[in-house]
Amino acid sequence: KLAASTIIAMIQAAKADGHIDDAERAAILGRVGTLEGAAKAFLETELAAPIDVDRVASLATTPQEAAHLYAASLLAMDPDQAIERAYLAALAQKLGLSPDLVTEIERGVKKA
C-alpha cells in the first residue's frame, strides 16, 4: 500500500506545473524500476489522472506516512515554480505537517 501511495504522490507532485518533464519521469521510473502487466497499467493510469492533492493527502493514515508522502512528492519535482511551491504548501497543510517538520523534510531531501 505505501509503495503505491508513494508512486501516486510522486506522480501528482510531478504534475503540479501542468506536465511531467523528462527529468521528473526519470525520477519516478528510477524509484519504481521496470514494470510489467498490472503494475505498468497502474503507472500509466496514474500518469493520466488529474492532479488531486486531496487524494494524495487521503493516502496517509499515520503521521509517518504523511511525512513520507511529502518527501516522495518533493523528490519527484524541482519546486522552482510558484505553482509547484503552492502544491507542496497545500499538500503539507492537508497532511497536517507542521512548518518545522516541512523544513526538516526539505533539508533531508536536499541532502539525499
Side-chain angles (χ1 to χ4, degrees), residues 1-103:
K1 176 190 173 294
L2 187 57
S5 297
T6 300
I7 293 167
I8 292 167
M10 292 181 78
I11 291 170
Q12 288 287 309
K15 285 194 235 184
D17 64 356
H19 71 284
I20 298 178
D21 65 29
D22 291 340
E24 292 164 337
R25 184 177 287 272
I28 293 164
L29 294 176
R31 297 268 178 219
V32 299
T34 305
L35 299 176
E36 295 178 6
K40 185 171 181 159
F42 165 77
L43 184 66
E44 294 301 326
T45 298
E46 290 304 323
L47 287 168
I51 293 174
D52 187 350
V53 71
D54 291 316
R55 178 173 172 232
V56 176
S58 75
L59 298 171
T61 57
T62 67
Q64 293 81 8
E65 286 180 7
H68 174 85
L69 293 178
Y70 185 84
S73 297
L74 195 54
L75 282 168
M77 66 158 70
D78 178 14
D80 58 352
Q81 296 181 38
I83 194 163
E84 292 166 323
R85 290 189 297 276
Y87 175 89
L88 288 171
L91 181 61
Q93 189 259 328
K94 290 176 185 297
L95 288 169
L97 302 178
S98 71
D100 289 344
L101 182 55
V102 167
T103 299

